[in-house]
């Protein structure tokens, strides 16, 4: 399966924040939208970096009580894991494993077009397993004749 097929199943909205926002503002956005990851940008499609729940936890561990009022630009991840919409899912899974990340940005050249999360990968693999199981049951029971 290509990454573009996963993107078709997701909301096209890509939630982003600016580098000038504070960590606590981003955490509120996480809560309001039930997410744990955003792209940092000033313009649509741009990626200056990313910020995840893990990045926020690391900032608190490093900066203590100053972390919540720190600017996103001071705590964001600048080493962003990326792929293209034409990449295959196992390739993205390998990136997630090698980079120890739960999110990979999908890029079209220099433009961010989406995000694939570990949740998206698990959902796809579960759906695939259920389809295979159903097909095997139908094959064994002889209910799927062509």
């Amino acid at each position: 399966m290509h990454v573009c097929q996963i993107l078709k199943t997701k909301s096209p909205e890509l939630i982003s924040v600016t580098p000038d926002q504070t960590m606590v503002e981003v955490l509120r956005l996480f809560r309001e939208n039930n997410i744990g990851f955003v792209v940092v940008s000033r313009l649509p499609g741009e990626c200056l970096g990313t910020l995840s729940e893990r990045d926020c936890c690391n900032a608190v561990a490093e900066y203590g009580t100053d972390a919540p009022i720190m600017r996103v630009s001071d705590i964001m991840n600048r080493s962003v894991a990326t792929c293209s919409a034409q990449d295959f899912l196992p390739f993205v899974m390998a990136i997630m494993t090698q980079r120890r990340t739960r999110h990979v940005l999908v890029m079209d050249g220099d433009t961010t077009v989406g995000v694939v999360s570990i949740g998206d990968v698990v959902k796809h693999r579960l759906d695939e397993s259920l389809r295979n199981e159903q097909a095997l049951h139908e094959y064994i029971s002889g209910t799927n004749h062509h």
Side-chain angles (χ1 to χ4, degrees):
M1 170 175 269
H2 287 101
V3 170
C4 60
Q5 293 169 289
I6 289 178
L7 291 182
K8 288 177 186 174
T9 67
K10 298 180 66 163
S11 167
E13 181 185 9
L14 187 62
I15 298 176
S16 64
V17 298
T18 67
D20 300 323
Q21 288 182 263
T22 64
M23 184 179 90
V24 75
E25 289 173 327
V26 175
L27 290 172
R28 286 183 183 124
L29 183 73
F30 285 174
R31 184 183 62 204
E32 290 164 5
N33 292 279
N34 196 28
I35 58 173
F37 178 86
V38 289
V39 175
V40 181
S41 66
R42 292 194 187 280
L43 303 167
E46 174 185 58
C47 177
L48 302 173
T50 61
L51 192 68
S52 68
E53 292 168 322
R54 181 182 293 172
D55 297 324
C56 293
C57 288
N58 288 338
V60 170
E62 186 170 344
Y63 302 110
T65 56
D66 292 336
I69 57 170
M70 291 180 73
R71 301 282 168 220
V72 167
S73 59
D74 295 325
I75 58 175
M76 70 183 186
N77 177 17
R78 289 178 168 80
S79 175
V80 180
T82 64
C83 68
S84 83
Q86 297 309 309
D87 285 329
F88 287 100
L89 191 56
F91 176 75
V92 176
M93 293 166 64
I95 291 172
M96 289 177 172
T97 302
Q98 292 163 357
R99 299 281 304 269
R100 297 188 52 80
T101 185
R102 294 175 289 183
H103 301 88
V104 176
L105 289 188
V106 183
M107 306 296 290
D108 182 4
D110 291 334
T111 304
T112 307
V113 295
V115 176
V116 175
S117 72
I118 191 72
D120 298 328
V121 172
V122 170
K123 181 185 182 317
H124 166 72
R125 293 305 236 185
L126 178 60
D127 291 347
E128 184 179 60
S129 293
L130 293 172
R131 283 191 306 271
N132 288 342
E133 182 180 342
Q134 181 64 35
L136 284 172
H137 281 295
E138 289 172 0
Y139 176 76
I140 291 168
S141 66
T143 59
N144 191 9
H145 299 290
H146 293 287

